[in-house]
Amino acid sequence: MLRSNVRRRGWLPAAAGGLAAAVVLGGLTLAAHGPALAATGGVAAAGADGVAAGNAAIASVDLSGTWTFTPAGRAATTIAVPGGGWYKQGFTDVNEAVYSRSITVPDSGQPQSTWIEFGAVNHQATLSVDGRAVATQTTAFTPSNFDISAYAAPGTTHTITVNVKGRGALKASNGRYLVPDAAEWSEAVPQGIYRSAFLRVYPAVYVSDTFVRTSVANKTLSYDVSVRNTSASSRSVTLTGSLSSNNGTAFSYPDLPSRTVTVAAHSTATVTVGPVAWNLDSTSYWWPNVPYRSGYRAQLHGLAVHAVADDGHTSDATYRFGFREATQNGEYYYLNGVRVNFRGDNLQGADYDRIDNGGKGDAYDTLPGFRPPSSGNGGWPQTVDN
């Protein structure tokens, strides 16, 4: 059985909850390097950078860098954000701390919505603007997003603070943690703000999310588009879409129908587009690298979503996805109609958090084998050959 302890969004490390999650296809074995084998019904489309958050932003300010950091009961110092969180940076006995820095809100020249977006905060984060509390969110290894539109007007400068309680500050009377921390036995699980930090500006009405459903059996594509309306008035929004190849391979893509949805003030509405016939051959599918080929890149596709509100303002978002379908029939599993065997072990990511790589902790964001491939990072090729 393939055990999953997923802590990363948009891209999965070499193993979905273990050192090696292997696929046997046509008698060959390889490691599975993506979410395509983990689900059966659909895939949350990733943005152009592999992360859906912020895709429709019309302005984005990277807040990574040096923040003021004040552990509870201690003097203020500094810390790197993201930097892997406070444990990785040597604050190994901290359970609660306050992060702070100044921000200036971009002015888009149109009605806008302003958000502070963190890639992940472990675990409870209370964000304030100039001392005014905005909201509290309790999360584990997932994004934390805060709407600060009512607290920070376009073109103004403010101080934001984030009071973060780590798992040590969130315990029940019996000593058990109140948050899912993945591995309570590991001292090096990331704490604090340990992934990206952005200030993002969106149109007042914008595409906030997209979920793509692909069916190899039915040869169809459909997708759910969520539209958020942060204005004080109801809006009618017309959605159109188009497809493209993410790898440069030419395909004769189907046309996508338009949809119109009414979104009430200060709310989000979701509309489904499709199913649309996918009359492309198997070269358009996502396939694992079997047999192993150096430099192989799976076929991915781009989905561009365009929204036009009845006041004339627009929103655009682009996503990438793989066309694939994983199914189970009795005791057998299939990928795109081909029988496969899933093999995995139970070595958790928290084991890797204990590796001292410039400090223990946050292995998924700092160790080469878990990072996206790049010219300077070849990952761990031996996991493919294992």
Side-chain angles (χ1 to χ4, degrees), residues 10-198:
W11 180 86
L12 272 154
L19 172 62
V23 179
V24 179
L25 181 64
L28 298 177
T29 303
L30 82 164
H33 286 275
L37 303 181
T40 59
V43 57
D49 61 351
V51 177
N55 203 297
I58 51 179
S60 184
V61 179
D62 190 349
L63 301 180
S64 63
T66 301
W67 290 49
T68 299
F69 183 71
T70 309
R74 304 184 192 179
T77 182
T78 58
I79 196 171
V81 173
W86 68 56
Y87 190 95
K88 188 173 184 68
Q89 297 182 62
F91 299 96
T92 57
D93 59 348
V94 170
N95 291 321
E96 182 175 356
V98 176
Y99 294 78
S100 64
R101 63 157 292 157
S102 64
I103 60 167
T104 298
V105 179
D107 187 347
S108 66
Q110 67 180 59
Q112 68 183 51
S113 176
T114 304
W115 294 73
I116 300 294
E117 300 181 352
F118 297 109
V121 181
N122 277 358
H123 289 277
Q124 187 177 95
T126 300
L127 185 136
S128 300
V129 177
D130 298 330
R132 301 167 61 197
V134 175
T136 297
Q137 296 186 19
T138 303
T139 56
F141 312 103
T142 53
S144 292
N145 300 328
F146 298 87
D147 183 359
I148 65 168
S149 305
Y151 302 83
T156 58
T157 298
H158 305 271
T159 297
I160 61 169
T161 59
V162 189
N163 188 334
V164 180
K165 292 182 179 180
R167 65 178 184 173
L170 299 168
K171 286 186 176 182
S173 57
N174 62 1
R176 297 293 297 272
Y177 294 120
L178 296 174
V179 288
D181 67 344
E184 66 180 32
W185 47 264
S186 176
E187 76 287 352
V189 171
Q191 302 295 296
I193 303 172
Y194 72 97
R195 288 191 180 142
S196 60
F198 283 91

Side-chain angles (χ1 to χ4, degrees), residues 247 289 292-298:
N247 304 57
N289 192 9
Y292 173 68
R293 289 156 286 174
S294 178
Y296 173 80
R297 291 293 181 268

Side-chain angles (χ1 to χ4, degrees), residues 11-16 18-24 28-34 37 288-290 292-293 343-345 347 352 364 367-371 373 377-386:
W11 180 86
L12 272 154
L19 172 62
V23 179
V24 179
L28 298 177
T29 303
L30 82 164
H33 286 275
L37 303 181
N289 192 9
V290 177
Y292 173 68
R293 289 156 286 174
R343 296 176 180 172
D345 60 39
L347 187 59
Y352 292 96
Y364 283 167
L367 293 184
F370 297 115
R371 301 288 299 146
N377 177 31
W380 289 332
Q382 63 267 34
T383 62
V384 175
D385 297 324
N386 185 356

